[in-house]
């Protein structure tokens, strides 16, 4: 099972979370959870006018062995308007535009989508049951 929580934060909301959402999916091969602006495709959707987030920005996918990974899907622009960082086990690392990373089994962490030209961010917490 993968559980996600998402909070979107703007400068006006500093110190508070707005738009707290949750989603979960069983760890079955092929299961997918998406984060982005498109409410028709994404289980966790950001505000429509947050253009630093793509229509479909992050994709969490369960592989054939029941392990989950996260991918930063390439959008329509050659350069992204955001940065994506993975925070887990006390370390932070950047996720490349169009790149993917495994999520640790039995672990938790956070993925931060940070607007490059402003103070807004989307924080997606995850817990992957082992």
């Amino acid at each position: 099972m993968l559980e996600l929580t998402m909070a979107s934060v703007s400068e006006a909301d500093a110190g508070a979370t707005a738009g707290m959402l949750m989603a979960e999916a069983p760890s079955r091969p092929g299961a997918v959870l998406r984060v982005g602006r498109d409410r028709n495709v994404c289980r966790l959707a950001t505000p429509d006018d947050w253009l630093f987030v793509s229509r479909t920005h992050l994709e969490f996918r369960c592989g054939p062995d029941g392990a989950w990974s996260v991918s930063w899907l390439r959008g329509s622009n050659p350069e992204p308007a955001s940065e994506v960082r993975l925070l887990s086990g006390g370390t932070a690392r950047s996720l490349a535009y169009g790149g993917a990373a495994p999520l640790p089994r039995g672990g938790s962490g956070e993925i931060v989508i940070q607007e490059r030209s402003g103070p807004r961010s989307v924080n997606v917490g995850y817990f992957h049951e082992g």
Side-chain angles (χ1 to χ4, degrees):
M1 175 80 62
L2 181 71
E3 297 175 357
L4 301 177
T5 58
M6 182 184 82
S8 52
V9 181
S10 68
E11 187 173 42
D13 299 322
T17 55
M20 182 69 81
L21 301 170
M22 296 181 73
E24 64 182 29
S27 292
R28 288 193 202 118
V32 174
L33 287 170
R34 293 182 183 95
V35 176
R37 292 189 339 262
D38 187 341
R39 286 169 173 36
N40 294 319
V41 178
C42 300
R43 293 270 303 273
L44 297 175
T46 63
D48 292 335
D49 62 343
W50 284 33
L51 301 180
F52 71 96
V53 177
S54 300
R55 289 173 29 92
T56 306
H57 202 90
L58 299 176
E59 181 177 85
F60 295 83
R61 181 173 293 276
C62 186
D65 59 353
W68 285 85
S69 64
V70 60
S71 298
W72 181 4
L73 303 176
R74 292 188 71 86
S76 58
N77 295 322
E79 292 297 319
S82 62
E83 297 175 353
V84 175
R85 292 184 318 277
L86 281 76
L87 311 168
S88 178
T91 62
R93 62 186 167 121
S94 293
L95 183 61
Y97 187 43
L103 299 179
R105 281 182 186 249
S108 62
E110 186 173 26
I111 298 161
V112 179
I113 304 168
Q114 179 68 52
E115 181 180 29
R116 283 191 171 171
S117 63
R120 297 177 296 186
S121 67
V122 177
N123 298 45
V124 180
Y126 68 85
F127 175 72
H128 180 200
E129 290 181 2

